């Protein structure tokens, strides 16, 4: 089994680490807040005390960090990558990923962007949706590792295409959640029972499973224990709008949604589950 360095042990990173340890991988772990590594250390991982030189002896470096700039900063601290393959699994911009590839190559490493869709539950079961972008030969080399985390990893093509796919998917998360929230608000305002509405929606072509996954949270206004926070959704939607502009895509209609999500800043909603967007569509949110 390979030796892997895992940088970033938050909600998703910790779950990925647990899965890799379960599958027999030798795991080295790092987090800016070392205490967040404890659950993985208790399962047999080894703590990375200093990033500088820590890629030596590793087959791959997986990063699960907030965004592209943070990923680039942390990877830079590794110094010589000693031919290890860097696999960033967080969300970043298309141009950010392409620039990070050049940085990694300059650090004597190999690059394969590998953003994932899914959270803790999927990671623990090895059922993440992994999108890989980069050189096809590098993808083939890393496929055994990716298959520990995903049943069917997907190669999307050259670097940037997997990043684009992940941004597109996260935009759909925001837009679908917003659309369902508005629908529920109007249904409730009319006096119609939500379940009666759902009986019509579920068998229709308009239905998406995410609405039932988030329906209870929306109706109860319980956004605790998030799989993906409102703050991160807003960050990714802003990034989508930026990349869309660079690509000549008119995404002006999303600006209002970005502005709505910005209303969560400074409130408890920001750290809560992104379905907290439903609270923002109330006419008198404050």
């Amino acid at each position: 089994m390979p030796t892997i360095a895992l940088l970033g042990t938050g909600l998703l990173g910790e779950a990925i680490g647990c899965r890799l340890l379960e599958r027999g991988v030798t795991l080295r772990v790092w987090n800016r807040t070392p205490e967040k590594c404890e659950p993985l250390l208790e399962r047999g991982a080894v703590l990375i005390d200093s990033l500088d030189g820590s890629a030596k002896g590793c087959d791959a470096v997986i990063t699960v960090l907030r965004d592209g700039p943070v990923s680039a900063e942390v990877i830079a601290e590794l110094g010589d990558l000693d031919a290890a393959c860097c696999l960033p699994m967080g969300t970043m911009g298309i141009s950010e990923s392409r620039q990070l590839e050049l940085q990694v190559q300059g650090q004597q490493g190999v690059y394969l962007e590998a953003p994932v869709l899914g959270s803790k539950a999927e990671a623990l079961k090895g059922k993440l949706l992994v999108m890989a972008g980069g050189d096809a030969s590098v993808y083939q080399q890393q496929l055994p590792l990716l298959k520990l985390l995903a049943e069917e990893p997907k190669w999307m093509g050259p670097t940037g295409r997997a990043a684009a796919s992940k941004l597109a998917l996260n935009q759909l998360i925001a837009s679908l959640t917003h659309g369902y929230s508005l629908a529920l608000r109007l249904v409730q305002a009319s006096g119609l029972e939500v379940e009666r509405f759902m009986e019509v929606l579920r068998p229709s072509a308009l239905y998406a499973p995410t609405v039932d996954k988030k329906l209870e949270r929306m109706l109860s206004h319980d956004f605790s224990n998030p799989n993906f926070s409102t703050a991160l959704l807003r960050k990714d939607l802003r990034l989508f709008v930026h990349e869309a502009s660079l690509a000549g895509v008119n995404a002006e209609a999303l600006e209002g949604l970005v502005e709505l999500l910005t209303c969560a800043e400074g409130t408890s909603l920001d750290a809560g589950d992104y379905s907290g967007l439903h609270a923002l569509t109330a006419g008198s949110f404050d």
Side-chain angles (χ1 to χ4, degrees):
M1 279 294 178
T3 297
I4 306 297
L6 174 65
L7 312 182
T9 57
L11 180 72
L12 179 59
E14 180 187 327
I16 287 174
C18 286
R19 173 67 179 178
L20 293 175
L21 287 169
E22 180 186 278
R23 306 304 291 177
V25 168
T26 300
L27 192 66
R28 303 175 185 175
V29 295
W30 174 91
N31 194 281
R32 191 75 72 185
T33 304
E35 291 76 15
K36 290 188 175 181
C37 294
E38 285 299 328
L40 293 174
L41 299 180
E42 292 172 1
R43 289 173 169 80
V46 176
L47 182 67
I48 295 174
D49 293 311
S50 173
L51 286 174
D52 187 16
S54 60
K56 186 175 179 60
C58 290
D59 298 286
V61 176
I62 293 175
T63 65
V64 192
L65 300 166
R66 176 180 173 81
D67 55 28
V70 171
S71 300
E73 176 186 339
V74 170
I75 290 172
E77 293 184 47
L78 295 172
D80 191 336
L81 291 169
D82 195 33
C85 181
C86 270
L87 297 103
M89 293 191 167
T91 306
M92 67 178 69
I94 301 166
S95 53
E96 291 173 339
S97 185
R98 289 171 177 164
Q99 182 59 42
L100 184 55
E101 179 177 38
L102 296 176
Q103 175 185 321
V104 166
Q105 291 171 347
Q107 291 177 234
Q108 311 309 310
V110 180
Y111 187 79
L112 186 73
E113 60 181 7
V116 303
L117 188 68
S119 192
K120 180 177 179 179
E122 291 80 12
L124 291 173
K125 296 175 182 177
K127 293 186 177 181
L128 289 169
L129 298 177
V130 175
M131 298 152 276
D135 187 275
S137 63
V138 176
Y139 169 70
Q140 289 298 325
Q141 291 166 6
Q142 298 303 319
L143 192 54
L145 172 60
L146 296 179
K147 283 187 173 180
L148 298 180
L149 301 173
E151 293 179 336
E152 293 186 48
K154 302 293 185 183
W155 181 64
M156 311 306 286
T159 302
R161 292 184 182 176
S165 298
K166 181 62 187 328
L167 280 177
L169 290 167
N170 282 15
Q171 182 275 138
L172 285 173
I173 291 174
S175 294
L176 284 170
T177 304
H178 184 228
Y180 283 128
S181 175
L182 292 176
L184 289 174
R185 289 289 182 198
L186 188 63
V187 164
Q188 290 176 305
S190 77
L192 177 65
E193 293 179 5
V194 170
E195 186 55 31
R196 185 65 59 85
F197 169 69
M198 292 302 298
E199 288 173 358
V200 176
L201 176 62
R202 288 189 184 105
S204 77
L206 300 172
Y207 177 71
T210 186
V211 68
D212 268 317
K213 288 182 179 180
K214 299 301 180 182
L215 184 58
E216 185 176 345
R217 282 185 180 272
M218 288 180 167
L219 296 180
S220 67
H221 281 231
D222 180 5
F223 309 120
S224 59
N225 301 314
N227 288 322
F228 185 49
S229 72
T230 303
L232 289 177
L233 182 64
R234 181 178 60 250
K235 181 265 294 183
D236 290 350
L237 190 60
R238 283 174 173 165
L239 188 54
F240 178 91
V241 171
H242 172 71
E243 290 289 346
S245 176
L246 295 178
V249 176
N250 185 345
E252 290 180 3
L254 291 176
E255 293 286 2
L257 182 49
V258 172
E259 185 176 343
L260 182 64
L261 286 166
T262 301
C263 293
E265 287 186 327
T267 77
S268 60
L269 292 176
D270 228 24
D273 188 84
Y274 70 83
S275 55
L277 174 57
H278 187 59
L280 300 176
T281 59
S284 59
F285 172 79
D286 53 38

